[in-house]
């Protein structure tokens, strides 16, 4: 690894709360860009009287892979739902390639954490060709699409099975193939591998990386897993604790792909991300009056990473 | 009239496996069924001996009465007449109830417009309408079929709309973000996801139609199982009453079995467990 990339991994952590600027895109771009640029400006989302997120600014250039981290319940899924057009921003604006996102559509695909979103009464083939079928594509074209995208996720041999006959990892692959079959310009992924075992997760992370580079679409990927974010992202955004959560910090991951988790720059970035998240978890705990045993509590909420951070702090 | 709704169906599929153990289980179940029926027949026999044929017809008397009624065609005609009314009324009830339930569940304005009526009429049992049906529609087939239809349509509608409300919201969102329009979502996602509920509604409705058919035929019918039971009473033929009652039960059982068999063949991929 060169000095330049090392330095790059350490750059660009704006002060908490400050609007994050778009990362400079001077690196090698993924394949032929059909991604759309997502722009979120001063976005706020409320449910009734409850303000989930506020003042979100994100400028996501076409073809970027952005990971979204943050304490549980801060509003990551909410922000993603707005990007998908499922909920409307109550303040500010949200545009894809300059056009306001006003509702869900095939241009912006969503991979959900829970594979219950697959249609159980359809075969894998029918699930994957659902989008093209809704658009009225002919049977031959549908078969081509199924072949291509099931091939991409390595599930051609399962085309005639039903989702209920697949493993959790296979179902998530079907979901990914189904979204990609629409050739969307933006793919949103909400903890897509959260429910999978470590091995399957690793395989799917690698596949995601490969598929993203082949497709060139813009990806916003929500995760709890800091290592997953470092492995996949061009940039990582950390959200503050809710309610009225916003973007706390934004890091550019200037590590060469495929990524090496043991790279010193990756380790440094991981520590920073851990600190950021643990800080937010602590704040949330204090807000809830749980500050006596904040460290332990923060550990359980932020997951292993915060625990590890605490242990490191104690042993230091 | 009881209206129940299904729990969210468990969609995990298991491949059918016919091992020796499963076969043993089936045999055991069958054996227990036979045992239960024999015990029931025995108890019936004892009761009949205790109270005599003017109050309780014994199994043997009932069987010979059935032979008698079958020989002169009364039993066959009754079964055919009642079945016809039930199948037509129930079929129409499902055909109307399922789409109406879908619309009530899916489109808020339809729900708001129809809810006052569904909430009102669900408390009025079909029996309450027997007199009106005869006065308005005459003693012909129409009044009976309409009463059966009324019985079926509410149960199917309410079950279907409950099913629609239970459809996983993320499934609908996923379909929308895959480019499906509102009507495509309704037909391709909401309807299939609701099939187990519609099926349960149809089964419950079938049971209730048997309740209704007896009251409908008691008031006005020349032929039918309800009318058989009623006229037998007037002739003082307790054994014929027994034949009518048992035939109703067996017929209901057979229809339910057939329904479940068809469903398990045709609808299994929608998660219908029958
Ligand atoms: N439909 C809704 N109605 C009311 N409040 C909601 C709704 N959806 C989310 N919220 C609230 O908004 C906040 C953010 O929720 P969200 O699901 O976006 O969090 P998250 O960051 O995705 O959490 P997690 O990491 O646990 O998935 C939470 O406080 C939640 O209670
Ligand atoms: Mg979430």
């Amino acid at each position: 690894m060169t000095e330049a990339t090392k330095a790059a991994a350490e750059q660009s952590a704006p002060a908490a709360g400050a609007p994050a600027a778009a990362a400079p895109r001077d690196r090698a771009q993924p394949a032929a860009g059909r991604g759309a640029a997502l722009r979120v400006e001063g976005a706020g989302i409320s449910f009734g009287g409850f303000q989930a997120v506020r003042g979100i600014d994100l400028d996501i250039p076409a073809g970027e892979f952005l990971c979204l981290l943050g304490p549980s319940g801060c509003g990551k899924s909410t922000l993603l739902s707005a990007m998908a057009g499922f909920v409307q921003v109550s303040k500010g604006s949200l545009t894809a390639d300059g056009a306001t996102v006003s509702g869900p559509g095939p241009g912006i695909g969503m991979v959900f954490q829970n594979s219950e979103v697959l249609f159980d009464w359809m075969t894998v083939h029918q699930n994957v060709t659902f989008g093209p079928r809704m658009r009225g594509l002919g049977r031959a074209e549908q078969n081509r699409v199924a072949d291509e995208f099931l091939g991409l996720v390595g599930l051609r041999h399962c085309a005639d099975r039903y989702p209920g006959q697949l493993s959790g990892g296979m179902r998530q692959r079907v979901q990914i193939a189904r979204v990609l079959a629409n050739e969307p310009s933006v793919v949103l992924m909400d903890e897509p591998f959260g429910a999978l075992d470590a091995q399957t997760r690793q395989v799917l992370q690698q596949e995601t990386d490969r598929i993203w580079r082949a497709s060139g679409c813009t990806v916003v990927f929500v995760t709890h897993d800091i290592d997953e974010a470092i492995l996949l992202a061009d940039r990582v955004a950390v959200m503050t604790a809710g309610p009225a959560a916003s973007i706390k910090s934004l890091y550019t991951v200037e590590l060469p792909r495929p990524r090496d988790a043991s790279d010193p720059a990756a380790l440094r970035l991981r520590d920073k991300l851990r600190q950021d998240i643990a800080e937010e978890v602590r704040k949330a705990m204090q807000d809830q009056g749980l500050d006596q045993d904040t460290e332990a509590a923060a550990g359980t909420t932020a997951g292993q990473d915060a625990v590890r951070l605490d242990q490191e702090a104690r042993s230091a | 009239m009881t209206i129940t709704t299904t729990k969210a169906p468990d969609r995990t599929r298991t491949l059918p496996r016919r091992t020796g153990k499963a076969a043993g289980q089936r045999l055991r179940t069958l054996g227990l069924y036979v045992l239960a029926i024999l015990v029931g027949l025995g108890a019936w026999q004892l009761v009949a001996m205790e109270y005599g044929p003017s109050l309780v017809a014994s199994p043997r008397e009932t069987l010979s009465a059935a032979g008698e009624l079958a020989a002169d065609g009364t039993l066959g005609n009754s079964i055919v007449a009642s079945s016809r009314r039930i199948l037509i009324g129930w079929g129409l009830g499902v055909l109307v109830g399922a789409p109406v339930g879908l619309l009530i569940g899916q489109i808020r304005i339809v729900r708001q417009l129809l809810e006052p009526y569904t909430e009102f009429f669900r408390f009025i049992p079909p029996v309450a309408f027997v007199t009106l049906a005869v006065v308005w529609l005459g003693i012909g087939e129409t009044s009976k079929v309409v009463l059966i239809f009324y019985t079926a349509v509410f149960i199917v509608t309410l079950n279907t709309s409950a099913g629609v409300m239970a459809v996983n919201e993320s499934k609908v969102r996923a379909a929308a973000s895959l480019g499906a329009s509102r009507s495509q979502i309704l037909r391709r996602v909401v309807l299939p996801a609701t099939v187990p509920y519609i099926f349960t509604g149809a089964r419950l409705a079938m049971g209730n139609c048997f309740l209704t058919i007896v009251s409908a035929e008691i008031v006005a019918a020349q032929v039918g199982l309800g009318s058989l039971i009623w006229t037998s009473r007037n002739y003082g033929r307790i054994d014929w009453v027994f034949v009518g009652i048992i035939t109703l039960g067996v017929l209901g059982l057979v229809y339910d079995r057939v329904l479940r068999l068809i469903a398990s063949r045709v609808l299994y991929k929608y998660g219908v467990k029958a």
Side-chain angles (χ1 to χ4, degrees), chain A residues 105 116 118 120-121 134 182, chain B residues 13 168 171 177-178 184:
Chain A
E116 277 197 4
L118 290 177
D120 323 73
W121 54 90
M134 296 304 104
N182 266 341
Chain B
R13 251 165 264 270
N168 188 333
K171 267 199 175 76
S177 88
L178 289 168
Q184 282 172 328

Side-chain angles (χ1 to χ4, degrees), chain B residues 67-225:
Chain B
E68 195 185 325
L69 288 171
D72 76 355
T74 312
L75 190 58
N77 291 341
S78 299
I79 291 174
V80 169
S82 293
S83 297
R84 233 181 66 106
R85 291 163 189 152
I86 287 175
L87 290 180
I88 295 175
W90 171 84
L92 289 174
V94 174
L95 282 181
V96 173
V100 171
L102 275 178
L103 293 178
I104 286 181
Q106 185 74 2
I107 303 171
R108 191 175 318 153
I109 185 159
V110 177
R111 175 158 66 245
Q112 286 159 346
L113 285 173
L114 291 184
E115 219 162 40
Y117 294 97
T118 53
E119 290 300 306
F120 174 75
F121 281 107
R122 58 186 281 201
F123 292 107
I124 307 178
V127 188
F129 282 116
V130 169
T131 311
L132 283 182
V134 172
V135 172
W136 289 346
L137 303 167
I139 56 164
E141 289 303 293
T142 319
S143 60
K144 265 118 2 201
V145 170
V146 165
L147 280 171
I148 296 290
F149 169 78
Y150 172 81
T151 307
V153 78
F154 275 95
I155 299 171
V156 176
T157 302
L158 291 171
N159 257 283
T160 306
S161 64
V164 173
M165 315 264 201
V167 173
N168 188 333
E169 178 61 25
S170 332
K171 267 199 175 76
V172 173
R173 285 184 163 185
S177 88
L178 289 168
S181 67
R182 263 183 80 90
S183 76
Q184 282 172 328
I185 290 173
L186 185 63
R187 277 179 296 129
R188 308 301 190 102
V189 178
V190 175
L191 172 61
T194 310
V195 163
Y197 292 83
I198 300 177
F199 174 70
T200 303
R203 268 187 78 191
L204 291 170
M206 179 63 88
N208 282 273
C209 288
F210 274 76
L211 299 179
T212 304
I213 195 71
V214 176
S215 1
E217 291 180 346
I218 278 176
V219 174
Q222 311 305 318
V223 62
L225 288 169

Side-chain angles (χ1 to χ4, degrees), chain A residues 76-77 190-191:
Chain A
K76 303 180 295 292
S77 298
D190 194 354
E191 299 187 44

Side-chain angles (χ1 to χ4, degrees), chain A residues 40-62:
Chain A
V40 188
E41 276 177 319
I45 304 163
S46 317
F47 298 104
F50 177 77
Q51 177 109 43
V53 300
R54 183 166 63 194
I56 300 273
D57 287 297
L58 270 178
D59 208 342
I60 309 169

